[in-house]
Amino acid sequence: MRILVIEDDSQTADYVAKGLRQAGQVVDVATNGPDGLFAAGEAYDVLVVDRMLPGIDGLSLVRKLRSLGVRTPTLFLTTMGGIDDRVEGLDAGADDYLVKPFAFTELSARINALARRPPLVEVETLLRVADLEMDLLKYRVTRAGREIQLQPQEFKLLEYLMRNAGRLTTRAMLLESVWGFHFDPKTSVVETHVSRLRSKINGDDRPDLIHTVRCAGYIMRAPDETV
């Protein structure tokens, strides 16, 4: 089993990592929130996360991972043991919660229990259409190796189009999924953003990947693919 321990207290991290390694597990340690968030994008069987982390706190880290589709079973290991703290941790997306001080045998048993759970359907965090690539964990878009700077709404729009590549996405679908409108506000917000997005991802010389379907919507696909 491969386990990532995200813990800034070196004594606790060493104790947990040593015990798990002696039990035959492969263990990596991250000592702050940003490093933990980056590392958690790799394939781990279980995450052990402290709540009080520098950089990004444990709650925000787990919420971010879940929003990105990372479903790795996660256990909070923390000194915050109130009922509200536990509820908050589980609501953030953690699967289990253990309060310090703890017995290592209980921690090990809980990790094993989490690893036995049936795997959840994973959501891709690295999207590709032709030479366009979107890394959701790094919040980075590149085309043919060139980095593209996008505004948050443009990033969200592109993610939706890439997740639905090869399929028709209507204006109504984009309004609801990207802007949260459950009605047509009679604005040109979709057309404006698609036009701006096209300009950014095409640059000066790349073929268009966002194809307009007259009176219907848009399809994102590679130039050599047919509808």
Side-chain angles (χ1 to χ4, degrees):
M1 191 186 336
R2 192 170 180 222
I3 301 167
L4 174 63
V5 177
I6 308 175
E7 169 66 72
D8 65 320
D9 180 77
S10 59
Q11 190 172 3
T12 302
D14 291 345
Y15 173 69
V16 172
K18 181 179 179 182
L20 292 172
R21 285 170 182 147
Q22 288 176 342
Q25 317 297 1
V26 176
V27 182
D28 293 324
V29 176
T31 57
N32 59 61
D35 287 351
L37 181 63
F38 182 80
E42 299 180 19
Y44 286 98
D45 298 294
V46 176
L47 307 179
V48 178
V49 181
D50 184 20
R51 281 192 55 167
M52 305 294 288
L53 292 168
I56 301 173
D57 66 88
L59 279 181
S60 299
L61 184 148
V62 173
R63 287 196 184 106
K64 182 66 176 176
L65 289 173
R66 298 309 188 226
S67 73
L68 294 173
V70 178
R71 302 299 178 200
T72 309
T74 300
L75 179 147
F76 268 128
L77 185 61
T78 174
T79 57
M80 302 173 67
I83 292 176
D84 290 345
D85 296 323
R86 294 168 187 257
V87 170
E88 194 175 25
L90 295 172
D91 282 347
D95 302 276
D96 200 358
Y97 202 101
L98 184 60
V99 178
K100 302 173 184 174
F102 58 96
F104 182 80
T105 51
E106 182 179 5
L107 173 64
S108 180
R110 288 177 182 242
I111 289 173
N112 289 334
L114 287 176
R116 286 196 298 269
R117 290 186 179 182
L120 298 175
V121 177
E122 293 186 2
V123 177
E124 286 183 282
T125 58
L126 188 61
L127 307 176
R128 287 192 185 89
V129 175
D131 55 358
L132 179 67
E133 185 173 295
M134 169 178 274
D135 189 327
L136 291 155
L137 291 177
K138 297 178 181 176
Y139 201 79
R140 186 168 183 261
V141 175
T142 59
R143 184 159 190 196
R146 176 180 63 91
E147 186 159 356
I148 301 168
Q149 300 297 327
L150 297 180
Q151 296 297 317
Q153 210 66 14
E154 294 167 349
F155 192 93
K156 197 173 176 181
L157 172 61
L158 182 60
E159 179 188 352
Y160 187 86
L161 291 169
M162 292 183 77
R163 285 198 185 282
N164 292 280
R167 296 194 289 264
L168 174 68
T169 53
T170 67
R171 187 173 184 276
M173 291 163 68
L174 293 173
L175 282 170
E176 182 171 340
S177 301
V178 179
W179 282 270
F181 292 143
H182 298 283
F183 61 97
D184 188 342
K186 306 297 182 188
T187 73
S188 59
V189 64
V190 172
E191 292 77 5
T192 300
H193 277 75
V194 168
S195 174
R196 191 180 304 148
L197 188 58
R198 269 199 182 111
S199 175
K200 287 188 176 183
I201 66 175
N202 291 351
D204 295 327
D205 59 350
R206 307 307 298 172
D208 202 2
L209 300 178
I210 305 174
H211 304 269
T212 300
V213 180
R214 188 177 174 81
C215 300
Y218 304 93
I219 292 180
M220 169 155 266
R221 59 176 169 79
D224 55 350
E225 292 178 359
T226 56
V227 178

